[in-house]
Every structure is written in C-alpha cells, then in structure tokens.
C-alpha cells in the first residue's frame, strides 16, 4: 500500500488504459517521475494514442504495450492502475493483479487536502466548475480534478491542509474506491440522479449503489447536499451519516436546512431549521436558466459550509454568517459558466453573448432557449447527422431573431421554420458575415446565444473549435 511518495521508487507499476483524456497519462507520468518501473498497456494502437505517447517521451524508461494486453504485465506488477472505464468483474487481466488502484485512490492516499466532492447524473461539471471559481474568488488556492479530465495526480505535490481540492467523480470512479475508505469529503454534493449508463449497469439500483459511495465514509462532522426534488435525494439523505442539507428549485419547508430558489430567481440558504434564511445569490447572475443557477447555488452553499467550518484554521475568521453569504453572493454572481455550455463570455454595448457550441442536437438548442427569461437572439445550424430538427422549429418562437449558419442540417431546419411562418436570416456561409449582420440588428439588453443544434464538420474541426472561433470573432467584430 502506498502511503508516502518514498515508497514508489522501484515499484513495478502497470498502467491499464493510457487513453487521451488525462487519467492514464497522468498516472504513467507520476509513477515514472517518482522512480517506478512503469509499463503502459492499452488495447488501442500506438497510432490512436500518438498524442499521449508523445507526452511521455521525456520518460524513456516507460515500456509500452499497445494494441493488446499481456496477462504477464499484470501478474508481475506490484501495482496496477486501472482506468475507470474498464470493467473489473470477469476481467482476466485484473484478476491476475496483486493490487489495484486508480489515479483518484492514489491521490487520496497521499494528500491531506480537504476535499469537496460531487457526483450525480447531470450538472456535475458545472457544479465543480462553480465550486472552483467560488473558492478562488474567496481567496483560496484550490484545485479541480477528477472526471472533468484533469487527474488529481497532476497537482498532488501542490496540495496541503490549506489547499481545498474539488473532485468531480463519476459512478465508475467511485466504484474504484469501494471498500478503500479513502473518500471522506468535507462537503459532498449529489446532483440530480436519473437513468444513465444502463448499458453498463443493467439497473438503476446498481448505478445508484456506486453513487452512494460518495458519502459512504462521511461522519457527522461533514456535510452532504441532497436533492429535495427527487426520490433518490431522499434515499441518500436517509442513509448518510453526514449532516444533511437539501437543495431545491423551489422554497424548502421551514423545518429543513439547505438552499433553494424563490419565484424571483434569488437563492436563499437556511443554516438551521426555522432559522432566518440568508440571501445567497441575486435574481440575475451571469449564467442563464434555473438549472445552471441551481448548480451555482449548490456550489455557493457548499463553500459557505466549508468556510464556516474552517474558521480558526485557514479561513477568514472575521466574517459573520451574513457577511460571508454577502461576499459569496458577490463572487458567485459573476461565475461565467463552463466553457462551451451556455457560457457567458463577453458583453459589449449592453449586449451579452453566450457560447453553447456543445449543443450538437436539436433538443439542446430548445433547452437553451428555455434558459432565458427574455427572448434571446439565436444563432444555430450546421451539419446534419440524421436528426429531427423539429424541436428547434417548435421552440423557435422563444427567440427574438434567428440567424442560420449554413450546412446540411440547416437545409433541413429552414423548411420547418418556413412552415411555421418563423422568419430567419441566412443561411450564412461563415461566421464573419453572420456576426456582421447580427451587429446591425441587436441593441442594448439583447442576449445572443450560439446554440447550433447540429455538428460542425466542414466549416470547423469540431464543436470546440467552433466555439473558440465564435468567441474570437465576436470580440473582433463587436469591438470595432
């Protein structure tokens, strides 16, 4: 068992699953850097993994076994680092391993940083992103890792008792921690749970059982946020040993403590049953819609409890509860959102711009329109991937104006809009011409949202390239 860095040197470590998203790469780099004898094995070919292999070239001692696994690499290893996406049950390679860990479990064994952990089905990434933003805004030197594609091993050496760490944990990452008693978050947040990964789990019960590991080893000194609006939240609350705080998109009963949104859109937090609620967020923040606001509210409430508990150690001891809530409100209202997901990124002349390029299906564009209280200017369209564009056409009445970017998907959407007598401008062959036209039409108070509802091939490398180009061109065109 690894409980200090000096025990790594000379260990024979097999990293199962190099991948392209951080975990395997970080593990290989971490163990090679600390003197382990590292073998990296992946079923993908060297060509498929070229980008990750190149990043490890500074460690010539690493041995690569790519395009296959060899059971001998598992039998001979002192330690196997498992990729979360690899099933353990019935795996002949893992069955041959003496000891199995993950990058998250190794991190938890070696750090003494306080942990704020988040799991759930929807909203995990925006919640952890808001947590990190809020902690830094409150003056903490904090770190963010986990399922958000940043391995915590990358920043292990920089952590300590005064550096809170935010972890986004998938059900698979939690499953890899089962029985290890390593995860004891100061604050746990479980975002709404709904059917997901049923092709892997086969039942909701099995899926939820892994989610429960987030709070399995918490104590009454720690906190757990549960969703008051669904059945799973109530089950979690009945099981955890931690202090339960609820969250809801509507006011909570006065005998419960937690956070909620009122009809005006303001967020409030009640520290104790029957206590006078504290105002946690104003009715208007940078990110639109009640779903995103709920995630920001949960992050703010988690930070409130964390800071309050740390008084006397490394947190500001001068703030009263009312002052703490007010300071948090001022910080969190400026949270811009997660990149590419209804991301507020720019304002000019009273016009706000939002980048929602990861909306690659029509339903996501319809949801983006629902997120705004006033009709936004919508930019959409792109490449067809055999989808029905009816959801955009049906929601199009919620847009003040519609600008279409050319593509095979737009060719299918335009007739649907015409059938409903909904006017649109375009299609435009490029973003420059489209945005110049938008500039001539918008006025102070408008919200412009780029939510394509389609893929981006042909005009852009991918949806992320599309979002980056949109942000650059908006700032170029609207500042001239």
């Amino acid at each position: 068992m690894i409980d200090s860095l000096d025990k790594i040197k000379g260990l024979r470590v097999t990293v199962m699953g190099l991948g392209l998203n951080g975990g395997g790469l970080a593990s290989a780099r971490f163990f090679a850097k600390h003197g382990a004898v590292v073998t990296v094995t992946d079923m993908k070919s060297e060509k498929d993994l070229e980008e990750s292999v190149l990043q490890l070239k500074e460690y010539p001692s690493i041995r690569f076994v790519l395009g296959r696994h060899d059971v001998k690499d598992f039998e001979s290893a002192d330690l196997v680092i498992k990729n979360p996406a690899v099933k353990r049950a019935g795996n002949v390679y893992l069955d041959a391993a003496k000891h199995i860990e993950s990058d998250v479990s190794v991190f938890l064994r070696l750090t003494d940083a306080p942990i704020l952990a988040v799991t759930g089905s929807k909203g995990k990434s925006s919640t952890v992103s808001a947590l990190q933003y809020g902690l830094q805004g409150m003056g903490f030197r904090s770190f963010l890792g986990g399922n958000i594609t940043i391995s915590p091993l990358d920043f292990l050496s920089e952590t300590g008792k005064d550096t809170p760490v935010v972890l986004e944990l998938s059900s698979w990452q939690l499953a890899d921690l089962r029985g290890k008693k390593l995860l004891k978050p100061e604050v746990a947040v479980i975002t709404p749970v709904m059917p997901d990964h049923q092709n892997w789990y086969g039942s909701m019960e099995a899926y939820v059982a892994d989610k429960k590991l987030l709070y399995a080893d918490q104590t009454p000194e720690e906190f757990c946020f549960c969703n008051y609006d669904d059945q799973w939240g109530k089950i979690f609350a009945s099981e955890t040993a931690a202090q339960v705080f609820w969250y809801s998109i509507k006011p909570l009963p006065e005998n419960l403590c937690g956070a909620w949104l009122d009809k005006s859109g303001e967020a409030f937090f009640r520290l104790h049953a029957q206590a006078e609620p504290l105002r946690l967020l104003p009715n208007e923040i940078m990110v639109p819609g009640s779903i995103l606001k709920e995630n920001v509210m949960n992050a703010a409430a988690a930070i409130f409890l964390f800071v309050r508990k740390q008084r006397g150690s490394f947190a500001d001891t001068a703030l009263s509860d009312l002052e703490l809530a007010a300071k948090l409100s001022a910080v969190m209202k400026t949270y811009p959102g997660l990149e590419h997901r209804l991301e507020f990124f720019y304002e000019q002349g009273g016009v706000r711009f939002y980048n929602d390029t990861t909306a690659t299906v029509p339903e996501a564009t319809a949801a983006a329109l629902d997120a705004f209280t006033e009709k936004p200017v919508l930019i959409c369209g792109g490449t067809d991937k055999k989808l029905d564009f009816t959801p955009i056409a049906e929601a199009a009445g919620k847009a003040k104006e519609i600008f279409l970017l050319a593509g095979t998907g737009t060719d299918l959407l335009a007739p649907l809009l015409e059938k409903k007598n909904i006017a649109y401008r375009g299609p435009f062959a490029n973003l420059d011409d489209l945005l110049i036209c938008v500039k001539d039409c918008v006025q102070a108070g408008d919200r412009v949202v780029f939510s394509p509802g389609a893929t981006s091939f042909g005009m852009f490398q991918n949806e992320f390239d599309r979002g980056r180009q949109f942000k650059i061109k908006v700032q170029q065109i609207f500042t001239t």
Side-chain angles (χ1 to χ4, degrees), residues 105-397:
S105 68
V106 172
F107 172 79
L108 291 173
R109 289 189 186 282
L110 296 175
T111 189
D112 56 359
I115 305 296
L116 295 87
V118 178
T119 195
S121 301
K122 300 298 179 183
K124 296 189 299 295
S125 295
S126 57
T127 301
V128 297
S129 173
L131 273 167
Q132 172 71 338
Y133 182 88
L135 285 167
Q136 293 186 337
M138 295 294 285
F140 290 97
R141 184 169 180 262
S142 59
F143 297 89
L144 169 62
N147 193 53
I148 203 163
T149 73
I150 302 168
S151 173
L153 291 180
D154 280 340
F155 52 74
L156 171 66
S157 62
E158 300 179 70
T159 65
K161 292 180 179 180
D162 60 349
T163 58
V165 170
V166 180
L167 292 180
E168 177 188 337
L169 298 172
S170 69
S171 54
W172 300 340
Q173 288 172 312
L174 287 166
D176 287 340
L177 297 174
R178 187 181 299 278
K180 296 184 184 295
K181 296 190 178 298
L182 295 172
L183 181 63
K184 298 179 181 181
E186 296 287 335
V187 187
V189 180
I190 309 176
T191 68
V193 171
M194 54 199 69
D196 200 359
H197 302 304
Q198 292 303 288
N199 58 330
W200 176 290
Y201 282 99
S203 72
M204 275 298 290
E205 289 71 22
Y207 172 59
V208 170
D210 282 350
K211 295 295 185 190
K212 293 179 178 182
L213 295 171
L214 189 77
Y215 59 76
D217 295 312
Q218 281 189 296
T219 71
E221 296 180 352
E222 291 137 4
F223 311 106
C224 185
F225 276 87
C226 301
N227 186 5
Y228 187 74
D229 300 327
D230 74 25
Q231 60 166 333
W232 296 112
K234 294 178 175 64
I235 292 172
F236 301 146
S238 70
E239 294 180 352
T240 179
Q243 297 176 53
V244 173
F245 283 81
W246 299 96
Y247 66 87
S248 176
I249 58 172
K250 52 192 175 185
L252 291 170
E254 291 186 2
N255 64 328
L256 297 180
C257 51
W260 69 89
L261 297 173
D262 72 359
K263 291 180 180 179
S264 72
E266 289 185 301
F268 290 89
F269 180 70
R270 185 182 294 119
L271 186 58
H272 303 290
Q274 310 297 335
E276 187 70 22
L278 299 164
R279 185 173 177 269
L280 206 54
L281 290 177
N283 58 3
E284 186 173 351
I285 62 176
M286 290 298 185
V287 294
S290 60
I291 294 175
L292 284 175
K293 180 173 275 190
E294 180 180 57
N295 297 334
V296 178
M297 173 186 73
N298 291 344
I303 295 169
F304 180 93
L305 290 177
F306 174 74
V307 173
R308 196 172 186 272
K309 182 180 178 181
Q310 302 301 329
R311 285 174 179 164
S313 54
F314 59 89
D316 189 339
T317 58
L319 296 178
S320 67
D321 287 345
L322 189 62
E323 291 169 331
L324 175 57
K327 184 175 180 180
L328 265 171
S329 179
V331 169
M332 301 305 289
K333 74 177 183 180
T334 63
Y335 168 65
L338 200 61
E339 187 177 21
H340 304 311
R341 302 179 191 180
L342 273 179
E343 171 199 8
F344 168 74
F345 68 94
Y346 186 66
E347 182 172 355
Q348 178 71 20
V351 180
R352 289 186 176 184
F353 293 87
Y354 295 83
N355 166 33
D356 193 35
T357 187
T358 52
T360 59
V361 297
E363 290 82 359
T365 298
L369 288 172
D370 281 334
F372 292 87
T373 55
E374 297 181 0
K375 290 185 175 184
V377 174
L378 173 66
I379 301 170
C380 65
T383 306
D384 179 36
K385 54 177 179 178
K386 305 301 181 184
L387 297 177
D388 179 7
F389 285 86
T390 301
I392 296 180
E394 291 181 342

